[in-house]
Amino acid sequence: MGRRGPKKHLARLSAPRHWMLDKLSGKYAPKPSAGPHKGRECLPMAVLLRNKLKYALTMKEVTLIVMQRNIKVDGKVRTDTHYPVGFMDTVSIEKTGQHFRLSFDTKGRFFLVPISQEDVKMKLCRIKHQAVGKKGIPYVVTHDGRTLRYPDPEVKVNDTVLVNVSENKIVDHIKFEVGNIAMITGGFNHGRVGVIYNVEKHEGGYTIVHLRDSRGSTFLTRNSNVFAIGHGSTPLVPLPRGDGIRLSIEEEKVLREKKTA
């Protein structure tokens, strides 16, 4: 007989590289549960608490932490040790008073940006789908699986909306257009931040977006990898360490030498 149902295991060597798991600590890695983010574009709760925040040493300790209902993701208590936490999600640990937002560093790895308790209520969401439902009710679907009814008619696919997660309502709207700051969420330039200065549309092909960072360096990627994060050159959320500027190998070496000196 063949397998019935979804796979329940994930080999450690097959886990995404950006999880930064070592090879020798076991045969398997935590497989993310089905949820708002894709399996290879998220961070399981166990990896977040054990490998990133270092609050646990073993999977047993992760289970004890989440079952005490200490961890909130986007304002909701999550007790699943394999819950998928993704880009722009907020993680709150009330016992320690710490709050984080998941972002990317310039190497495409998840980076926990410390935020205030007020910032936890707000979240940037990219519009993936737009349609009209039953009884003519317009709605949009975001990158984290949210359905928002009656959006502003100005909101289109690829735009970004600032959502109040407690009320599930749109507070602000960022157009996907030339002049706005954006972060790259995939591809070779994963994690870089720049201002959009040109959009090339190719019939029957990919739309290519050109960006320029604060140092004047230019880069380009497909429009599906571009996530607008602010009006003009001002982001609506705090940026990770380095402000999304990719350093050269020589610049990274100088920084390392300064830290060890």
Side-chain angles (χ1 to χ4, degrees), residues 44-175:
M45 183 73 76
V47 175
L48 180 76
L49 294 175
R50 185 181 60 191
N51 300 72
K52 293 285 185 184
L53 293 174
K54 302 286 195 291
Y55 276 131
L57 293 173
T58 62
M59 194 67 178
K60 176 72 174 175
E61 290 178 7
V62 172
T63 306
L64 292 172
I65 291 170
V66 297
M67 292 311 290
Q68 290 177 41
R69 304 178 70 81
N70 289 329
I71 311 298
K72 286 184 178 180
V73 178
D74 287 342
K76 290 187 177 181
V77 173
R78 300 294 179 184
T79 56
D80 180 7
T81 55
H82 293 63
Y83 183 81
V85 186
F87 183 55
M88 284 295 165
D89 285 0
T90 59
V91 179
S92 302
I93 307 167
E94 293 188 349
K95 277 199 172 180
T96 62
Q98 289 178 303
H99 307 280
F100 303 97
R101 189 186 305 280
L102 252 71
S103 188
F104 294 117
D105 65 9
T106 52
K107 294 180 184 289
R109 302 173 299 202
F110 277 113
F111 188 90
L112 291 163
V113 182
I115 57 174
S116 66
Q117 192 166 1
E118 289 300 313
D119 290 341
V120 172
K121 299 175 185 175
M122 298 298 173
K123 178 181 181 181
L124 288 177
C125 298
R126 185 173 186 268
I127 304 299
K128 300 279 282 185
H129 179 64
Q130 186 179 28
V132 177
K134 289 184 179 179
K135 299 183 180 178
I137 296 174
Y139 68 92
V140 291
V141 180
T142 63
H143 79 284
D144 61 345
R146 293 173 188 274
T147 300
L148 304 170
R149 305 194 330 157
Y150 298 108
D152 189 307
E154 293 283 314
V155 176
K156 304 294 179 187
V157 173
N158 295 331
D159 288 354
T160 304
V161 290
L162 183 66
V163 177
N164 185 324
V165 292
S166 57
E167 299 175 5
N168 207 39
K169 289 184 179 178
I170 297 173
V171 178
D172 198 359
H173 166 222
I174 304 166
K175 292 290 288 180

Side-chain angles (χ1 to χ4, degrees), residues 14 46 88 90 104 214 222 246:
S14 301
M88 284 295 165
T90 59
F104 294 117
S214 57
R222 295 177 184 175
R246 178 176 287 174

Side-chain angles (χ1 to χ4, degrees), residues 187-203:
F188 180 76
N189 293 302
H190 201 163
R192 296 181 75 175
V193 174
V195 175
I196 302 169
Y197 73 89
N198 187 25
V199 178
E200 288 180 14
K201 292 186 178 178
H202 300 278
E203 292 297 328

Side-chain angles (χ1 to χ4, degrees), residues 242-261:
D243 294 334
I245 298 171
R246 178 176 287 174
L247 302 177
S248 66
I249 296 172
E250 187 63 32
E251 288 170 328
E252 287 182 355
K253 180 186 174 186
V254 171
L255 272 180
R256 281 197 302 272
E257 288 173 350
K258 282 183 180 177
K259 286 180 181 178
T260 54

